[in-house]
Amino acid sequence: MSKNTRVKIGLEVHVQITSLRTKLFCSCPSNYRGKPPNSNVCPVCLGLPGALPVVNREAIREALKVALALNSKINKLLIFTRKHYFYPDLPKNYQISQYDGMGSLPIAKGGFIRIENDSLSKIVRIRRINIEEDPGRITYPTGSIVTSPYTLIDYNRSGVALLEIVTEPDLESPKEARIFISKLVSILEHLGVTNPELEGAVRVDANISIEGGERVEIKNIGSPKDVEKALQYEIARQSAIVKSGGSVNRETRHWDKGKGITVSSRAKELEEDYRYFPDPDLPPIPISSDLIDEVRSTLPELPGDRIKRLMSEYGLSKYLAHVVVIRSKLLADAFESAVRECGNASTIASILVNELLRWVDECGITIEEGLKRLTTKRICKLVRYLKEKKLSSKLIKEYIKKIITEDIDPDDLIGKGYVSIMDLEYLSNVIEEVFKENPKAVEDAKKNPKAINYLVGQVMKKTMGKADPQLTYELINKRLKENVC
Ligand SMILES: [Zn+2]
């Protein structure tokens, strides 16, 4: 793609309101995960004839929280709309959603989120926020709609409350899209509306067009990283079509995560295909100013303010404060809880950002699981051992790896001999041995200080990585100077 090709990206982010006890229009539990298929259902969410929906009032409060946090304008009348389509994941053949037009309104319109990183600071406008119901889940037993002889359908998820947050096409690169989703999810997490670590809690549809081409929608992408990858792929695909003189068709595609490509799924429906009209089973609900004020008074500290506070209160760099807050609220909570208990903010931030996140990513576990092992207590033990020089900065990495992968307490590791070698006499003896075994390297090191690192390496090898590298370097340097005369 040439650098000047203009890319326009708009997102529709679907977020389950996981804080609710029950589904959006019935009293079935909102938590459907891990249950036998079709056991978390009732006549309403199965769409049986005559069953009538009743709105979950808590869902409205949660949606209002989000609207206020995103600076959106709340509509004073809540109207639900039927969005018609024939597909087995919705037994009624329509989804209860909200629409802007045809006598309907979404719960909120307008608003914005500011996205930032080192080189970027921009406003992304929000077009609207809808409340709607989640469809059921479809499974193709042999993996694909084309090859599977039959389809399995599970309605446990059907009717779970979703928020659909739609942006204007203000995003100009896949990276901006990733940063936007991370920021949005962090806001929702701080509001307590959703738990993004739950599989399927956040799903994204991305609209993308490049200059001179039609808009293509990529459906149902599961994570900010995958959104970035899918969009990168799509820009390359569309650019190649335009370059070869073809034209990009308006269509819906889906992201094949395994293959890392997007695949055409159908021609895009037009708005009028959905035959929207206000749901006659759900009378409009007035949203009073009192309710809005009351919800506003419950809003917690949001990520933007929290980042600023971590910088001013604990002296964190912008980068560290940003990662700690945006990557996960749990990480920011763990950071603040450990600092309250044992101080040393920058050491703790570095333990969490450089070590915990590394092992979480490498082992494919959630941050929540990682923090169950690397608890506040254990973090503070590590900080204390570092201060008492029982641990070197190198060895602490090994400790954290063992804590996270094997759930071992730092005290037990110290007991098993995972101790930093600060014993000067012992270390000097090891250095003596290394000098005897490597006379040529010693001669090199006398002439060229850079060659000292080889000797440090030999000492680390003999001590199984337990020696403090800085101290070892200093001792070797001293020993070399003694030898000069
Ligand atoms: Zn139900």
Side-chain angles (χ1 to χ4, degrees):
M1 183 183 76
S2 90
K3 271 215 155 149
N4 301 324
T5 306
R6 264 181 61 88
V7 175
K8 273 185 172 182
I9 297 166
L11 300 174
E12 292 178 18
V13 185
H14 297 95
V15 183
Q16 286 180 340
I17 310 180
T18 58
S19 56
L20 298 176
R21 280 191 307 110
T22 57
K23 292 183 179 179
L24 185 51
F25 298 113
C26 62
S27 57
C28 294
S30 174
N31 181 8
Y32 59 88
R33 292 177 170 83
K35 295 185 178 171
N38 298 305
S39 64
N40 189 51
V41 290
C42 74
V44 174
C45 54
L46 283 175
L48 299 188
L52 287 173
V54 178
V55 181
N56 181 339
R57 291 212 158 242
E58 283 304 311
I60 300 174
R61 291 179 67 97
E62 296 296 79
L64 290 175
K65 274 196 214 167
V66 175
L68 289 168
L70 302 190
N71 317 291
S72 303
K73 186 173 176 296
I74 293 162
N75 287 310
K76 292 295 168 75
L77 208 53
L78 187 74
I79 299 173
F80 285 100
T81 315
R82 292 186 179 182
K83 178 182 182 179
H84 294 83
Y85 63 91
F86 179 77
Y87 209 57
D89 60 357
L90 270 171
K92 301 190 291 292
N93 286 341
Y94 62 82
Q95 178 187 31
I96 305 177
S97 178
Q98 296 190 301
Y99 187 64
D100 191 9
M102 312 290 291
S104 294
L105 289 169
I107 189 164
K109 283 164 84 166
F112 64 88
I113 291 181
R114 176 178 289 282
I115 58 169
E116 282 176 291
N117 72 355
D118 295 342
S119 55
L120 171 82
S121 176
K122 77 184 266 182
I123 294 281
V124 178
R125 291 169 301 156
I126 304 294
R127 182 178 291 171
R128 60 183 157 81
I129 302 170
N130 300 330
I131 308 176
E132 62 185 29
E133 57 179 339
D134 213 352
R137 282 170 84 106
I138 289 178
T139 312
Y140 303 107
T142 56
S144 142
I145 191 169
V146 181
T147 55
S148 188
Y150 60 94
T151 301
L152 296 175
I153 174 80
D154 174 11
Y155 290 116
N156 283 353
R157 192 180 73 181
S158 174
V160 164
L162 279 186
L163 289 176
E164 182 186 54
I165 297 157
V166 183
T167 75
E168 297 291 347
D170 288 348
L171 297 156
E172 292 167 292
S173 71
K175 188 177 170 192
E176 283 185 14
R178 170 173 58 76
I179 294 170
F180 173 84
I181 297 164
S182 301
K183 180 74 180 280
L184 171 64
V185 168
S186 176
I187 292 171
L188 298 169
E189 204 187 1
H190 277 80
L191 290 170
V193 168
T194 201
N195 176 359
E197 297 215 333
L198 292 175
E199 188 270 325
V202 178
R203 283 117 57 193
V204 180
D205 296 345
N207 288 298
I208 175 165
S209 61
I210 64 169
E211 212 167 1
E214 285 278 351
R215 193 160 59 103
V216 171
E217 184 177 26
I218 317 167
K219 280 271 188 202
N220 244 331
I221 322 172
S223 75
K225 265 188 197 157
D226 278 312
V227 169
E228 187 176 20
K229 282 188 210 156
L231 288 169
Q232 280 166 348
Y233 175 85
E234 200 49 29
I235 289 172
R237 187 188 71 86
Q238 294 183 19
S239 302
I241 293 173
V242 171
K243 212 172 160 190
S244 65
S247 57
V248 176
N249 294 328
R250 187 180 170 121
E251 63 174 342
T252 300
R253 302 177 71 83
H254 74 262
W255 171 238
D256 186 328
K257 189 178 172 180
K259 292 189 182 138
I261 58 171
T262 65
V263 184
S264 180
S265 44
R266 59 188 146 111
K268 171 85 183 140
E269 286 98 342
L270 300 173
E271 292 279 278
E272 48 268 34
D273 294 334
Y274 289 122
R275 298 292 189 272
Y276 289 100
F277 67 80
D279 193 318
D281 289 341
L282 290 158
I285 300 171
I287 306 284
S288 70
S289 307
D290 287 352
L291 175 63
I292 295 173
D293 289 344
E294 194 220 311
V295 171
R296 184 182 281 118
S297 71
T298 66
L299 290 188
E301 182 183 41
L302 294 173
D305 291 336
R306 195 172 195 186
I307 289 170
K308 284 186 201 141
R309 186 170 58 77
L310 293 197
M311 289 167 67
S312 65
E313 201 173 319
Y314 303 110
L316 289 193
S317 68
K318 190 175 177 187
Y319 168 77
L320 276 180
H322 205 268
V323 177
V324 163
V325 174
I326 300 292
R327 179 66 195 265
S328 164
K329 177 176 181 287
L330 297 176
L331 198 64
D333 292 348
F335 167 77
E336 293 212 68
S337 130
V339 174
R340 267 197 300 273
E341 192 154 321
C342 59
N344 293 281
S346 67
T347 308
I348 291 171
S350 146
I351 286 175
L352 292 172
V353 170
N354 299 328
E355 300 306 319
L356 173 78
L357 288 184
R358 176 170 144 217
W359 292 110
V360 160
D361 290 342
E362 209 147 300
C363 305
I365 58 172
T366 63
I367 290 175
E368 191 176 5
E369 286 165 332
L371 287 170
K372 271 186 192 149
R373 297 183 166 192
L374 191 64
T375 57
T376 299
K377 260 205 175 112
R378 288 178 175 177
I379 292 172
C380 285
K381 280 180 186 173
L382 292 174
V383 169
R384 202 180 70 228
Y385 290 150
L386 262 181
K387 272 183 130 178
E388 292 170 353
K389 299 225 184 260
K390 282 186 180 160
L391 267 181
S392 66
S393 52
K394 181 174 186 295
L395 202 59
I396 193 170
K397 291 171 193 284
E398 209 174 310
Y399 266 56
I400 295 169
K401 177 185 168 188
K402 285 203 166 284
I403 292 168
I404 292 171
T405 54
E406 295 172 34
D407 198 12
I408 297 179
D409 193 88
D411 286 349
D412 297 331
L413 288 167
I414 291 269
K416 279 183 185 162
Y418 276 88
V419 173
S420 171
I421 294 174
M422 296 300 292
D423 179 340
L424 287 187
E425 201 185 318
Y426 175 73
L427 197 51
S428 301
N429 289 340
V430 177
I431 291 171
E432 200 58 48
E433 252 175 66
V434 168
F435 269 52
K436 272 186 194 150
E437 289 165 14
N438 300 278
K440 193 173 172 308
V442 172
E443 288 310 308
D444 288 348
K446 279 182 195 165
K447 287 172 219 142
N448 174 13
K450 277 188 188 158
I452 294 178
N453 288 327
Y454 174 79
L455 295 170
V456 174
Q458 294 306 304
V459 174
M460 297 307 283
K461 218 167 159 186
K462 274 190 182 285
T463 58
M464 318 275 270
K466 288 174 205 158
D468 184 279
Q470 183 62 32
L471 182 66
T472 306
Y473 186 94
E474 284 163 20
L475 288 175
I476 291 177
N477 204 15
K478 204 169 144 220
R479 178 82 176 72
L480 283 169
K481 282 179 183 151
E482 281 166 10
N483 258 354
V484 170
C485 308

